[in-house]
């Protein structure tokens, strides 16, 4: 018998059974690989633009303009914020989709991938609709803007719950690239808004601004389709089965918890270290 801390030091893992490590990509150890090609990094940067907060930020960056043109006046920011929060109901739809897909990891991976494609399409379509309908009102309410706010909030809520788990299938270095894509798009949209000056000179309309944001999101659709078709940056399906042992001195280790986890027992531990050479016979 060994303690949990001793086993953690020996294996480099804490509370994880070796046979369970295959169940989720998050448990796979880093793979030794050559430097990533720049086209691969660029594809994931572009992919990260669509399933991001770009649509939410684009709407909020135009609030100074909306405050003088929409019936809500200076309260339009509060109304948009409420609409964004209503979009969090998309998480309930995601949980229902997981339930329908089943408990297996394959079903969840399919749902995540489908949601990512849907989020990109919704972002592209939503920005296009915003360019043509942002000024539409009914009964003293900016119905188009508020509806787009709910949709944009749903995309933002699903970003962390679907994109991040799906990215665990990729080379770990590409997770940062995808997150960088969304951040760069938000920064670029802010720079375009600074040039536009929606609360000042108003050099061009919100419609033109939304079309610029749409142009930023379009490459995300192509990048996602390319990654799905070619498997660019994705780990092989058998990566978990071919991964190295947990430790060079252990071929297999498992926890058997007793009394609420008070003890741990190591099974089938075999040392890969070479046996010590026998001592030479004493000289007669």
């Amino acid at each position: 018998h060994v303690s949990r801390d001793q086993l953690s030091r020996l294996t480099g893992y804490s509370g994880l059974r070796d046979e369970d490590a295959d169940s989720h990509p998050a448990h796979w150890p880093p793979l030794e690989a050559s430097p990533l090609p720049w086209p691969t990094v660029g594809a994931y940067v572009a992919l990260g633009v669509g399933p991001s907060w770009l649509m939410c930020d684009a709407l909020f960056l135009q609030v100074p303009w909306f405050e003088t043109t929409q019936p809500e006046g200076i309260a339009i920011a509060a109304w948009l914020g409420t609409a964004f929060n209503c979009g969090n109901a998309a998480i309930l739809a995601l949980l229902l989709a997981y339930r329908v897909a089943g408990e297996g990891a394959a079903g969840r991976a399919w749902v995540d991938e489908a949601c990512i494609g849907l989020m990109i399409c919704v972002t592209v379509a939503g920005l296009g609709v915003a360019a043509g309908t942002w000024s539409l009102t009914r009964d003293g309410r900016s119905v188009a803007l508020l509806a787009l706010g709910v949709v944009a909030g749903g995309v933002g809520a699903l970003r962390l719950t679907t994109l991040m788990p799906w990215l665990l299938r990729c080379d770990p270095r590409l997770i940062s690239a995808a997150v960088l894509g969304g951040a760069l798009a938000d920064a670029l949209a802010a720079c375009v808004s600074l040039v536009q000056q929606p609360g000042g000179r108003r050099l061009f309309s919100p419609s033109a601004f939304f079309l610029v944001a749409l142009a930023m999101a379009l490459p995300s659709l192509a990048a996602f389709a390319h990654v799905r078709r070619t498997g660019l940056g994705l780990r092989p399906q058998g990566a978990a089965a071919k991964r190295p042992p947990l430790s060079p001195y252990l071929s297999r280790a498992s926890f058997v918890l007793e009394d609420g986890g008070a003890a741990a027992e190591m099974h089938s531990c075999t040392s890969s270290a070479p046996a010590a050479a026998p001592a030479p016979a004493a000289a007669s």
Side-chain angles (χ1 to χ4, degrees), residues 7 13-23 27 243 246 252-257:
L7 187 56
Y13 284 71
S14 177
L16 177 66
R17 295 185 303 174
D18 184 38
E19 57 267 28
D20 288 344
D22 296 344
S23 61
H27 298 156
R243 75 192 197 295
L246 297 180
R252 178 176 176 267
S254 63
F255 282 128
V256 177
L257 300 181

Side-chain angles (χ1 to χ4, degrees), residues 83-105:
F84 293 156
N85 284 303
C86 289
N88 289 325
I91 301 297
L92 299 178
L94 176 65
L95 294 176
L96 179 60
Y98 283 152
R99 184 86 175 187
V100 172
E103 297 296 330

